[in-house]
Amino acid sequence: MRQRNRGRVALAAAAAMCAAVALPGQAYAAGEPATYTFDPGAKKVDGAEASTDASALTPGAVYRSSIKPGQKLYYRLNLDAKTNGYVSAVVVPRGAGQVAYGDGITVSIRDSSDLQCSSEDARFESAEFPRPIAAYAYRTVAKDSSICQEAGTYNVLIERESKETSAPDEWDLELRYESEPQLKSAGSMPTEAPENWPSASPVPPTTAPQKRSGGTSYYDATGLETGEWKEEGGIKPGQTLFYRVPVDWGQQVFATATLSNNNASDEYIGSALALSLDNPAHGHVDSATPLSYSGKPTSVSLDPLPPVKYENRYDSTSSVSAMRFAGWYYLSVTLSPQVAKSYGKNGIPLTLKVKVEGTAAQSPYTGDAGIFSVTQDDRDMAKAGKSAQQAVKSGRMKVIGAAGIGAGSVLVLGLGVWTLLARRRAATAPAAASGGNQPYGGPPQAW
């Protein structure tokens, strides 16, 4: 019985360690770019073609769905009269099928009368190669608005547009529904967008590049802070790499992507590299003009964006409006699969220069702001280059380590008590005959 229990303890410890490190991911063939890693906590949900059949989404939850060419799919929200709600959709084309300039989705939130609260498009545009792209829509509560202010049922509508020349495959969708925290003092907040902000790009970091490996999705995006970062192994044709940067209230983020030279060819490839920025709710902020490539070193930068402020939401420009809350901002970089034809399938050296400027200001929210905040743990993860996935793994290993120490202490204490009792029994009992039984079944057996 004792040996069996020890085996169970060992198996339980091994199983716990395996559970801690075996986080879900997407498999990919050796030498090929990794596919998108969906959030392992995502729930499966089917969009409905009739709004009355739509499934309800829950705040703080992540979902997986899919959409066919030309489809219009509905999902349902139950909103109160005081909370701002955001629903984002990440489009993940399956395989390497062709996409065209106008291909993409439109995400909108609508009330029960089909009045549109807001909408946003996600399009492939001139970078006509498959990659994850994102868009969001929101219902916000405002005193001077008469649309979408009532409590009740709202619809999320996702519409897909694809050209006849595009691949007819289904696209996967990763959906998120987030509620914005309540303000400390709504009456004292500005209700107009700022007109001016520092718009000159800062002096880029001059420190030597440090190595970092980008993630395959928002879920496992690699943390970055101010500095120059060199992608380990470079970026491969067809690959999308994800990074995340903590940007607090009052801070600006700047980013530049640089492709190194490749002497295999001098063939000109237009729209070879796409650089994009999304906000903490996975709403699209801005994209740089796709970078062309002809085998020489070249770079592209995001346009200067305003500091993160609550009142940015009142600006009519989407890139300004999207800088409306603090948190993790996501950078994604994709290299066109067409590059492989002239420059091979190996990775081309890639560096990212990131700079976060400005002193962090106080949050306007009351209580814990969740994803719409920057904590010291976030800054530490960015400094260490950790993704959310690695942070979870690290936390689990700490728990297992503590549990292991506790279990070990209990075993040692138990053996000590057994030894003490055995010695006392031996001292008071008559000497056992040669070959007789030992007290309590004999000494502990060897492991």
Side-chain angles (χ1 to χ4, degrees):
M1 178 64 71
R2 188 181 298 111
Q3 287 284 20
R4 185 180 303 168
N5 287 340
R6 287 173 184 153
R8 287 175 179 171
V9 170
L11 287 172
M17 293 184 68
C18 290
V21 299
L23 292 172
Q26 298 292 325
Y28 58 96
E32 294 296 325
T35 56
Y36 188 88
T37 300
F38 290 90
D39 189 310
K43 305 172 185 176
K44 184 71 171 66
V45 62
D46 292 324
E49 295 192 347
S51 61
T52 52
D53 297 331
S55 299
L57 306 182
T58 304
V62 184
Y63 299 87
R64 283 191 65 172
S65 192
S66 61
I67 189 167
K68 298 175 182 178
Q71 267 195 318
K72 298 181 179 182
L73 299 179
Y74 286 92
Y75 308 84
R76 191 175 78 247
L77 305 180
N78 297 312
L79 298 175
D80 60 27
K82 63 178 182 179
T83 305
N84 298 335
Y86 295 81
V87 176
S88 66
V90 181
V91 176
V92 185
R94 295 180 182 176
Q98 177 67 34
V99 295
Y101 182 91
D103 288 0
I105 61 167
T106 299
V107 183
S108 62
I109 294 180
R110 300 162 180 267
D111 68 10
S112 58
S113 299
D114 204 41
L115 291 175
Q116 183 173 283
C117 309
S118 74
S119 70
E120 185 175 81
D121 296 336
R123 305 286 176 189
F124 291 102
E125 298 183 337
S126 58
E128 298 180 24
F129 45 84
R131 62 191 185 279
I133 55 176
Y136 74 167
Y138 44 84
R139 191 294 298 261
T140 55
V141 179
K143 291 182 179 179
D144 57 350
S145 177
S146 60
I147 299 175
C148 300
Q149 300 299 295
E150 302 292 330
T153 299
Y154 288 76
N155 291 317
V156 178
L157 175 61
I158 300 180
E159 305 170 79
R160 174 178 169 181
E161 182 178 346
S162 294
K163 298 293 186 291
E164 291 182 0
T165 56
S166 302
D169 302 328
E170 279 189 314
W171 291 346
D172 288 314
L173 297 174
E174 187 172 58
L175 308 177
R176 282 174 175 78
Y177 172 23
E178 297 290 349
S179 293
E180 190 171 9
Q182 297 298 314
L183 293 170
K184 293 176 183 176
S185 179
S188 64
M189 294 298 296
T191 56
E192 293 184 3
E195 296 182 359
N196 300 296
W197 64 80
S199 58
S201 297
V203 176
T206 56
T207 55
Q210 301 181 57
K211 292 183 179 180
R212 288 281 164 90
S213 294
T216 65
S217 69
Y218 296 89
Y219 171 72
D220 65 358
T222 299
L224 299 179
E225 60 176 356
T226 294
E228 184 172 0
W229 309 99
K230 182 178 180 181
E231 174 62 32
E232 290 195 84
I235 184 169
K236 296 179 180 180
Q239 187 175 30
T240 300
L241 298 172
F242 284 82
Y243 310 86
R244 60 180 191 159
V245 184
V247 186
D248 214 337
W249 298 100
Q251 294 184 325
Q252 289 177 278
V253 60
F254 300 85
T256 298
T258 300
L259 269 182
S260 181
N261 63 295
N262 185 306
N263 299 326
S265 175
D266 59 1
E267 183 74 19
Y268 176 85
I269 299 175
S271 300
L273 186 83
L275 172 65
S276 184
L277 178 71
D278 299 319
N279 68 21
H282 295 189
H284 185 61
V285 178
D286 200 14
S287 296
T289 301
L291 180 71
S292 59
Y293 189 65
S294 57
K296 301 177 179 62
T298 186
S299 63
V300 65
S301 301
L302 294 171
D303 290 335
L305 295 162
V308 172
K309 290 186 177 181
Y310 185 88
E311 56 266 32
N312 285 339
R313 66 191 59 210
Y314 301 113
D315 198 286
S316 59
T317 305
S318 60
S319 59
V320 176
S321 174
M323 301 296 294
R324 63 176 60 195
F325 22 55
W328 288 104
Y329 279 74
Y330 296 86
L331 288 165
S332 60
V333 186
T334 307
L335 186 62
S336 170
Q338 297 298 319
V339 171
K341 294 180 180 180
S342 300
Y343 296 93
K345 295 183 178 181
N346 293 331
I348 296 178
L350 168 74
T351 58
L352 279 175
K353 289 184 178 180
V354 174
K355 192 157 190 181
V356 177
E357 285 214 327
T359 302
Q362 290 294 317
S363 169
Y365 301 132
T366 181
D368 182 5
I371 68 166
F372 301 119
S373 65
V374 174
T375 66
Q376 187 57 49
D377 284 345
D378 294 333
R379 297 185 184 95
D380 292 342
M381 283 192 286
K383 186 178 184 66
K386 283 187 177 181
S387 65
Q389 180 186 36
Q390 290 169 327
V392 169
K393 183 191 298 185
S394 176
R396 288 180 178 177
M397 291 307 295
K398 286 179 180 178
V399 170
I400 288 172
I405 292 172
S409 300
V410 170
L411 287 172
V412 170
L413 179 61
L415 289 172
V417 171
W418 184 92
T419 302
L420 178 62
L421 291 174
R423 287 176 177 173
R424 287 181 176 178
R425 176 65 62 87
T428 58
S434 177
N437 294 330
Q438 294 289 333
Y440 293 92
Q445 300 179 28
W447 285 80

